[in-house]
Amino acid sequence: MIKFIKSLEKKVLEGQKINFEHAIKLTLVKEKKDLEQLCNSAKNIQNVLCGKEVDLCTIMNAKSGSCPEDCKFCAQSSHYKTGTEVYDLVSKEEALKLAKENQDEGVNRFSLVTSGKGIIGKDFEKVLDIYKELSKEIKIDLCASLGILDYRQLIRLRETGVTMYHHNLETSKEYYNKICTTHSYEERIDTINAAKKAGMDVCSGGIIGMGETLEDRVKLAFKLNELGVRSIPINVLNPIKGTPLENSKSLSQNEIMKTIAIFRFVNPETFIRLAGGRNKIDEFGKYCFNAGANATITGNYLTTSGNSTINDKKMISSLKLEVRKND
C-alpha cells in the first residue's frame, strides 16, 4: 500500500488527477504505517501546491433557529426540539463590531450565516445593507452563507463586496435524501453554479459521521472537484440532542485523518478547511494539518463551541505553519 500511495502522490505532484478507483483504494488504508504514509503524502501535496499558509475564517450566526428545512443534523430546524436560541437578523452594528474584532485578531475572512432555506424579502435587503457597511469599514475578505439563492440575488450580493459564497453539499447525491428531504441536491448545485456565474468563489463541503460510507465521502470529494470549489469545509458531526442523528457513533481519529487526506489527494490545490465538530477531534484538529488541511473556521460556530483564534494561531505556529497574511 505504501508504494501505491507514493505513486499517487507523484501523480498529483506532476499535475495529474487521481481517479475514483484510486481514491476508493485509499479508503482501504488500515495499518498504522499506511495511514502515516497517506497523511505524509497529503501534507507534501499541500506544502508543494498550496504552500505553508493557513487560511482562517470566522462566522457569525446572524439569524438563528425556526428553520423550516428538515436537515437531520441541524439544531436550528423547527422540525426538532433542540433548545437552540431563536432570534431574527442581527443589526448592522452587531455585525460590524464582531467583524472588526476578528479583523484585529488576524482572521482572513468573515461571514454572516442565516438559518432557513434561503434569505428573501426584507431580510435579504437588510443583509445587503450590512455587507455594504462591512465593505466600507473592514479590510478582510467577506463571505456569505445565506442558503439557496438565485443568480439575481447573488449578483447583488457580489456587488456589495462579498467574494466567496458558502453552500455545503453535505454528502453524496446518493445519500442526501437520508439527510434532507425538504430541498434537493440539485437545488444546492444550482446555487453553487449561480454563485460562480455571479463572479464569486465557492466554499462547499460536507459533514462526515452522519452514517454515510467512505465511498459517499469520495463521491462528495469528486463532485466538489468537478464543481471547481475554492474552499472545502469538512465538518465532523457533533450530534445534537433532539435531532434524528443525536445517537450517531463518533468517528475514530484515524478515520477523520484518512478522510481529510483523501480529500487533499482529490482536491490538491483547494483550501481543505476544518469546520464544525473540531471539538470532536484531538486537540481541535491539530494533527489534521499534517494530513492535508490548510484552513479552518476559528472561534465559536453556529450552535457549538470551536477553538479561540488566539489558540489556533499558537497551534498553527507550533506546526511551523503560518496564518495567511491579509492584503
Side-chain angles (χ1 to χ4, degrees):
M1 183 61 85
I2 287 178
K3 184 177 179 181
F4 174 71
I5 294 168
K6 287 183 175 179
S7 71
L8 292 189
E9 177 190 347
K10 183 174 183 291
K11 188 179 183 76
V12 172
L13 291 176
E14 289 175 349
Q16 301 178 60
K17 292 184 177 182
I18 70 169
N19 61 35
F20 185 79
E21 289 70 27
H22 290 148
I24 288 296
K25 188 171 180 179
L26 291 179
T27 68
L28 303 178
V29 166
K30 291 182 180 179
E31 298 293 330
K32 182 180 178 182
K33 59 183 176 57
D34 294 335
L35 180 61
E36 288 177 350
Q37 182 60 57
L38 178 65
C39 292
N40 288 338
S41 290
K43 181 183 179 182
N44 193 40
I45 291 169
Q46 167 201 322
N47 287 342
V48 173
L49 299 181
C50 303
K52 294 191 175 185
E53 288 187 331
V54 175
D55 187 80
L56 296 182
C57 72
T58 192
I59 59 180
M60 180 180 196
N61 194 9
K63 182 182 179 184
S64 180
S66 299
C67 179
E69 306 307 291
D70 70 351
C71 302
K72 304 297 186 291
F73 54 82
C74 188
Q76 300 199 51
S77 173
S78 60
H79 292 257
Y80 321 123
K81 295 181 179 179
T82 63
T84 194
E85 189 176 4
V86 177
Y87 52 83
D88 291 328
L89 194 65
V90 298
S91 69
K92 188 185 300 183
E93 292 73 22
E94 289 174 291
L96 183 58
K97 180 177 182 291
L98 185 59
K100 284 184 173 179
E101 287 174 1
N102 281 279
Q103 177 176 262
D104 292 345
E105 289 181 350
V107 171
N108 305 118
R109 305 173 188 274
F110 177 79
S111 178
L112 300 180
V113 182
T114 55
S115 63
K117 181 177 182 179
I119 198 163
I120 57 173
K122 291 181 180 179
D123 275 351
F124 181 67
E125 299 300 325
K126 289 178 182 178
V127 165
L128 293 180
D129 285 341
I130 291 173
Y131 274 114
K132 287 175 185 175
E133 186 70 16
L134 292 175
S135 292
K136 287 191 297 184
E137 298 294 333
I138 68 171
K139 304 300 182 185
I140 58 178
D141 294 333
L142 295 177
C143 308
S145 182
L146 310 174
I148 293 172
L149 302 184
D150 61 29
Y151 175 66
R152 178 188 60 82
Q153 288 176 294
L154 289 160
I155 281 286
R156 294 185 67 197
L157 190 62
R158 177 67 184 92
E159 289 171 349
T160 68
V162 174
T163 59
M164 182 177 283
Y165 195 72
H166 169 262
H167 197 59
N168 279 348
L169 288 182
E170 308 300 9
T171 187
S172 70
K173 181 179 180 179
E174 291 78 5
Y175 195 69
Y176 184 79
N177 284 340
K178 291 187 173 118
I179 299 302
C180 179
T181 64
T182 49
H183 57 270
S184 70
Y185 204 71
E186 287 70 25
E187 285 178 282
R188 288 182 175 267
I189 290 174
D190 288 346
T191 299
I192 288 171
N193 286 331
K196 290 176 63 181
K197 185 179 178 182
M200 286 184 271
D201 287 329
V202 171
C203 176
S204 180
I207 305 173
I208 62 175
M210 299 189 293
E212 79 288 346
T213 64
L214 278 163
E215 183 174 337
D216 286 313
R217 295 177 208 162
V218 170
K219 287 178 179 177
L220 174 61
F222 274 92
K223 188 62 181 179
L224 295 168
N225 181 274
E226 176 189 324
L227 290 168
V229 304
R230 177 71 178 120
S231 168
I232 299 177
I234 297 179
N235 299 269
V236 178
L237 180 69
N238 192 3
I240 305 294
K241 187 176 181 180
T243 66
L245 298 182
E246 66 175 318
N247 295 316
S248 297
K249 183 180 178 181
S250 296
L251 297 178
S252 70
Q253 300 299 306
N254 285 350
E255 188 167 348
I256 294 169
M257 299 276 281
K258 184 198 298 186
T259 299
I260 289 169
I262 292 172
F263 267 77
R264 173 57 67 199
F265 270 83
V266 178
N267 298 276
E269 297 184 62
T270 302
F271 287 119
I272 304 294
R273 189 178 304 276
L274 301 182
R278 282 182 60 195
N279 56 328
K280 294 290 183 180
I281 316 175
D282 289 347
E283 296 189 47
F284 285 97
K286 176 178 181 178
Y287 302 107
C288 294
F289 290 97
N290 289 328
N294 65 334
T296 188
I297 299 178
T298 188
N300 288 336
Y301 307 143
L302 297 183
T303 55
T304 58
S305 295
N307 200 22
S308 72
T309 302
I310 291 174
N311 287 337
D312 273 341
K313 291 171 77 172
K314 288 178 180 177
M315 177 185 69
I316 289 165
S317 178
S318 73
L319 294 167
K320 301 192 184 313
L321 300 170
E322 58 188 49
V323 175
R324 180 173 71 84
K325 291 180 174 60
N326 292 318
D327 297 331

